[in-house]
Amino acid sequence: MRIDMHTHAFHTKIAEKAVKCLESHYKFPAHGKGTVEDLIFNLDQAKIDKSCVFTAATIPDQVVLANDWAISLSENPRFCAFGTLHPDYPGWESELDRLEKHSIKGLKFHADFQKFQLDSKKMFPIYEAISGKFIVIFHIGDVFHPDENPSSPQKFANVLRNFPSLTAIAAHCGGYSHWEWVKEALSGFNFYMDTSSTLSFISDRLLNEIFNAFPEDYFLFGSDYPLGDPVTELRLLKEKAKFSDDKIDRLLARGAKLLGL
């Protein structure tokens, strides 16, 4: 089974607005419309069987609605939707129980948009509760220097150091625009990283340094639809990283193994 481990899809009522917000933040045009139908079209174009779809509650009041959306998406056989929590949401224990009841396999945290420090101790009870129960994907890196960025590779390393049994994925090859610090900050830890929002922005030298610094089975394929698209991302893996067809097949299949599919 071929899996895209990093995508986003929004309800038709908010998809256009959500995509514009992403374009405004990251300063480049999105590839897709952000709708469920357009995501499936893009998966079909790349001959990908299934994708993980993420959502993140930017304020505590969005947690339940965001998870309702994830639960509804999981009814579609093309998706494995992840839920979310917010550190200031008071009922997070019961929300975890609800997600587990609905067979949600993972959670997404975006510290930059959710406005918390990734290694903040207020997150520690949540990390403890989800260790061994959920796959957790973290947005890592952004437009600021690691000393200022809420989700730097260094802060992710602190999470891994304190919660070694956490099944964690570092999005964007360990840190969007923070790739020069990934090798030093994250070597020696047990985790995964996806290829989303990396291949078009990183130098060939840094990309191959990261691929060579970590075991092959750490890496997962991610397109970051609607910002990216799986066809282009698969092409760039061949062009920039010189991945063979066999290596790409292993990358795509690794997500299925992690998800237990």
Side-chain angles (χ1 to χ4, degrees):
M1 183 175 286
R2 293 159 61 93
I3 306 291
D4 186 337
M5 286 294 296
H6 193 132
T7 70
H8 309 268
F10 310 98
H11 192 283
T12 51
K13 291 182 178 179
I14 66 166
E16 183 177 358
K17 180 180 178 180
V19 170
K20 286 181 178 179
C21 286
L22 291 171
E23 290 177 326
S24 176
H25 180 80
Y26 290 109
K27 312 300 183 189
F28 61 84
H31 167 84
K33 300 176 182 177
T35 63
V36 169
E37 294 77 15
D38 192 55
L39 171 54
I40 291 174
F41 172 80
N42 277 269
L43 296 176
D44 288 343
Q45 293 295 106
K47 297 181 173 61
I48 289 177
D49 301 298
K50 197 177 185 84
S51 77
C52 289
V53 186
F54 304 138
T55 184
T58 56
I59 58 173
D61 287 350
Q62 292 177 348
V63 168
V64 172
L65 289 175
N67 288 333
D68 287 345
W69 176 241
I71 290 166
S72 70
L73 285 175
S74 286
E75 296 174 358
N76 189 316
R78 299 298 299 275
F79 302 139
C80 179
F82 279 30
T84 190
L85 292 176
H86 191 284
D88 296 325
Y89 180 70
W92 62 264
E93 295 99 331
S94 60
E95 195 65 6
L96 285 179
D97 290 340
R98 183 167 79 103
L99 292 172
E100 196 168 14
K101 178 182 176 182
H102 285 278
S103 301
I104 298 296
K105 294 177 181 289
L107 298 168
K108 166 72 182 288
F109 291 108
H110 196 310
D112 301 74
F113 288 175
Q114 295 180 292
K115 295 181 171 55
F116 69 91
Q117 300 296 315
L118 202 64
D119 58 351
S120 168
K121 289 191 175 179
K122 71 179 179 180
M123 287 295 295
F124 280 20
I126 294 176
Y127 294 152
E128 182 67 33
I130 62 182
S131 292
K133 289 187 176 181
F134 294 90
I135 302 164
V136 190
I137 183 160
F138 296 95
H139 169 90
I140 307 294
D142 218 294
V143 295
F144 302 109
H145 187 276
D147 292 343
E148 303 168 348
N149 195 271
S151 63
S152 67
Q154 291 84 347
K155 291 182 174 69
F156 179 61
N158 285 336
V159 174
L160 297 176
R161 191 174 291 112
N162 283 280
F163 299 93
S165 62
L166 195 66
T167 304
I169 304 170
H172 319 311
C173 272
Y176 176 76
S177 80
H178 288 202
W179 298 294
E180 63 188 283
W181 296 287
V182 167
K183 181 179 175 181
E184 179 182 356
L186 298 178
S187 291
F189 292 105
N190 185 27
F191 68 106
Y192 297 91
M193 62 181 97
D194 73 37
T195 61
S196 65
S197 287
T198 297
L199 302 171
S200 295
F201 310 103
I202 191 173
S203 70
D204 291 4
R205 177 188 61 81
L206 264 179
L207 178 65
N208 286 286
E209 277 188 12
I210 291 172
F211 280 138
N212 291 329
F214 298 91
E216 181 182 325
D217 60 6
Y218 277 37
F219 293 95
L220 304 163
F221 175 74
S223 69
D224 214 356
Y225 174 91
L227 288 175
D229 73 283
V231 169
T232 299
E233 296 302 305
L234 290 171
R235 174 178 57 80
L236 289 173
L237 280 170
K238 290 185 175 183
E239 294 177 358
K240 293 193 63 150
K242 310 303 180 186
F243 273 28
S244 66
D245 288 339
D246 285 346
K247 193 167 185 177
I248 287 175
D249 286 343
R250 293 196 300 272
L251 183 73
L252 288 163
R254 199 167 294 127
K257 183 178 179 181
L258 177 60
L259 295 168
L261 301 175

